[in-house]
Amino acid sequence: MTHAGDVAPFDRFARFYDRFTPSADADLLAAGLAQADRPVERVVDVAGGTGRAVRAIDVPERLVVDASDGMLRQAHSNGLESVRGNAARLPLADGSVDAAIISDALHHVADVNGALGEAARVLRPGGVLVVREYNPATLRGTVLVWGERIVGFDSEFLTPDDLVERLDDVGLTPRVRNRDFDYTVAGVR
Ligand SMILES: C[S@@+](CC[C@H](N)C(=O)[O-])C[C@H]1O[C@@H](n2cnc3c(N)ncnc32)[C@H](O)[C@@H]1O
């Protein structure tokens, strides 16, 4: 099932995004990346916005792909390589990265299965997709689902178990790090 997704609100808010958003959790991202069965040197931050997630990790090559020009301008001014693109049609060659991150973004993407399939396609064998998301089956998750609805986002949240199934469907081996409100699931190619 697809929904409209959210790009325009982020485009409008891009200049203020980094000021009002806490830093990404470097330890949980690193734990996800550590699931890779290969050295991680090139990472793509899918729907990466200003590059908040990829800025929190220490890897030689970091690329941000996002559909919002405003968010990409911020990523560029944060010193990151950035490319405009839809998460469900990544402008990257097959097997061209060691890891992909989708952090605080999958629920905003219209075509979730398309985005997961594309992340799997661009991974090298042994590479890892790290998804950081919010669990709608928790109390804080329920509040977030309603909060995003009230402010007008078209978000769609997956539980860790839903995500595990979808990673499996795109040929990635799922590894759940935690199932809390703020959860991390890795998928290894
Ligand atoms: C909440 S922001 C998260 C940005 C970043 N991942 C972070 O952790 O700060 C959601 C991002 O998803 C992007 N986005 C939404 N749908 C997209 C799509 N189909 N393709 C690429 N980017 C998309 C938005 O433009 C926005 O930058």
Side-chain angles (χ1 to χ4, degrees), residues 6-7 10 17 21 45-50 52-53 65-68 71 85-88 103-105 108-110:
D6 300 305
V7 175
F10 290 103
Y17 186 85
T21 317
D45 192 352
V46 177
T50 64
R52 184 169 64 115
V65 175
D66 199 280
S68 154
M71 295 293 266
N86 186 335
S103 179
D104 184 10
H108 290 297
V109 169

Side-chain angles (χ1 to χ4, degrees), residues 3-39:
H3 57 123
D6 300 305
V7 175
F10 290 103
D11 217 34
R12 286 195 293 273
F13 186 62
R15 271 184 304 148
F16 310 103
Y17 186 85
D18 283 338
R19 230 178 292 167
F20 290 100
T21 317
S23 307
D25 190 318
D27 291 342
L28 285 171
L29 284 168
L33 292 174
Q35 299 296 317
D37 291 331
R38 60 175 299 118

Side-chain angles (χ1 to χ4, degrees), residues 113-183:
N113 291 345
L116 297 176
E118 278 293 271
R121 177 184 68 77
V122 302
L123 286 178
R124 296 178 177 136
V128 69
L129 165 63
V130 180
V131 180
R132 296 267 301 126
E133 260 300 330
Y134 300 109
N135 186 349
T138 61
L139 181 59
R140 284 176 71 192
T142 308
V143 173
L144 181 65
V145 169
W146 281 102
E148 291 218 351
R149 226 168 263 176
I150 287 164
V151 298
F153 282 122
D154 186 48
S155 34
E156 186 178 275
F157 292 86
L158 300 179
T159 64
D161 288 339
D162 288 338
L163 181 55
V164 160
E165 251 180 59
R166 295 190 196 212
L167 290 177
D168 202 42
D169 288 347
V170 298
L172 298 178
T173 305
R175 295 180 189 166
V176 180
R177 172 83 168 81
N178 67 303
R179 293 170 189 276
D180 308 330
F181 162 66
D182 183 359
Y183 71 86

